[in-house]
Amino acid sequence: RDSMVLLDAAAHAARDRVALVASFDHGTGEAATHAVHLVRLAARRHGIAFIADRAPLAGAGEAAWRDARWR
């Protein structure tokens, strides 16, 4: 929820300075995958480029997901 509010605020306040929106699916289940889909739709609605990635470590745990995100 916080990230979606930030996306909307940035799109309204500084649209010309937003290069793209990025999202990361940690592979924790349907909710995580759906969240990426919602971010993609919001970026499209604002006319902002979108990029996403997904952890290959489904079910591995938060430390492994965080490492994957940073890689």
Side-chain angles (χ1 to χ4, degrees), residues 4-32:
M4 293 297 283
V5 170
L6 180 59
L7 189 160
D8 285 339
H12 285 94
R15 171 61 192 99
D16 59 329
R17 293 172 44 186
V18 178
L20 64 89
V21 172
S23 188
F24 190 81
D25 181 345
H26 287 90
T28 57
E30 282 186 43

Side-chain angles (χ1 to χ4, degrees), residues 24-33 36 53-61 65 68:
F24 190 81
D25 181 345
H26 287 90
T28 57
E30 282 186 43
T33 300
V36 171
D53 201 359
R54 184 172 200 280
L57 310 168
W65 298 326

Side-chain angles (χ1 to χ4, degrees), residues 36-46 50:
V36 171
H37 176 70
L38 292 176
V39 175
R40 182 186 322 269
L41 292 176
R44 183 180 301 151
R45 185 175 66 246
H46 290 296
F50 176 81

